[in-house]
Amino acid sequence: MGPGGPFGPGGPFGPGGPMGRGPFGPRGHFGRGRARRGDVRTAILQLLSEEPRNGYQIISTLNERSGGAWRPSPGAVYPALNQLEDEGLIEVFDNEGSRAFRLTSAGREAPEVHADTAKVWDDWADEGSARVDAGAMWRTFGEMSMALKPIMMSGDPEIVTKAQAILADTKRALYGLLASAPGEETTTAE
């Protein structure tokens, strides 16, 4: 599919499209985990402006401060650290036997450190909003799909029909959660 397709700019799933933002977009409830370009870099500089940290501490702190909504991967953090070191904004030092990073004088002057805007992790964890562990939800969904596999492989039409009924009840219960008022009891599938 080319740039004019559904995933290209202006397409329904591309930048500017209805599914490109909102709950399935980069900052939506289901799309969290994809940072905007520069978010990791900015977050590293902001964290190191507080105190020196190693890569693991950077990842853990971002996860904690975003309420579990953002946990950048080592594959995103370590290349960003290398780039910041190459630019002379941070330096590596021996912190009691472990490799840690701190800002250089040039890093302390970086615009990302002095931005009047909110910290990057605040975008991921709105003040007062409930913290949602989307990863746990998707793991549960994956486990459920694994439970369905032996049911389908059994070839028993009665078991498959019962499983379909359970899934239909579960789907209705999930939509019921959205339809009910906050704090209102809903019936769940059993």
Side-chain angles (χ1 to χ4, degrees):
M1 305 228 155
F7 296 97
F13 299 102
M19 300 299 275
R21 298 188 68 68
F24 294 98
R27 299 295 174 142
H29 298 289
F30 299 110
R32 288 188 175 170
R34 285 188 182 258
R36 290 183 305 217
R37 183 173 304 207
D39 279 357
V40 173
R41 172 193 171 88
T42 300
I44 290 170
L45 290 171
Q46 290 174 344
L47 286 177
L48 293 180
S49 72
E50 298 171 359
E51 66 182 0
R53 291 180 163 88
N54 63 35
Y56 175 78
Q57 290 169 325
I58 291 169
I59 294 168
S60 297
T61 303
L62 290 174
N63 184 46
E64 176 186 312
R65 293 202 183 164
S66 69
W70 185 31
R71 182 177 171 86
S73 71
V77 170
Y78 287 101
L81 286 167
N82 289 335
Q83 180 69 34
L84 291 168
E85 185 181 7
D86 290 346
E87 293 175 22
L89 299 177
I90 65 172
E91 63 184 0
V92 178
F93 71 101
D94 183 3
N95 186 17
E96 299 176 10
S98 74
R99 185 175 181 220
F101 303 89
R102 63 182 166 212
L103 292 178
T104 62
S105 57
R108 286 188 286 280
E109 299 301 319
E112 296 93 338
V113 172
H114 298 287
D116 290 334
T117 59
K119 301 293 186 195
V120 174
W121 50 85
D122 291 338
D123 288 345
W124 291 83
D126 298 327
E127 278 298 314
S129 68
R131 304 295 191 244
V132 176
D133 183 359
M137 178 71 75
W138 289 112
R139 280 189 297 280
T140 303
F141 182 76
E143 291 165 2
M144 183 181 69
S145 68
M146 293 304 292
L148 288 172
K149 186 175 181 178
I151 290 173
M152 294 303 297
M153 292 178 70
S154 74
D156 185 332
E158 185 178 338
I159 292 175
V160 171
T161 301
K162 286 181 182 179
Q164 287 173 327
I166 290 169
L167 290 174
D169 289 343
T170 302
K171 181 178 76 173
R172 278 191 292 280
L174 290 171
Y175 279 121
L177 290 172
L178 296 172
S180 63
E184 184 180 305
E185 290 294 319
T186 58
T187 58
T188 59
E190 294 185 26

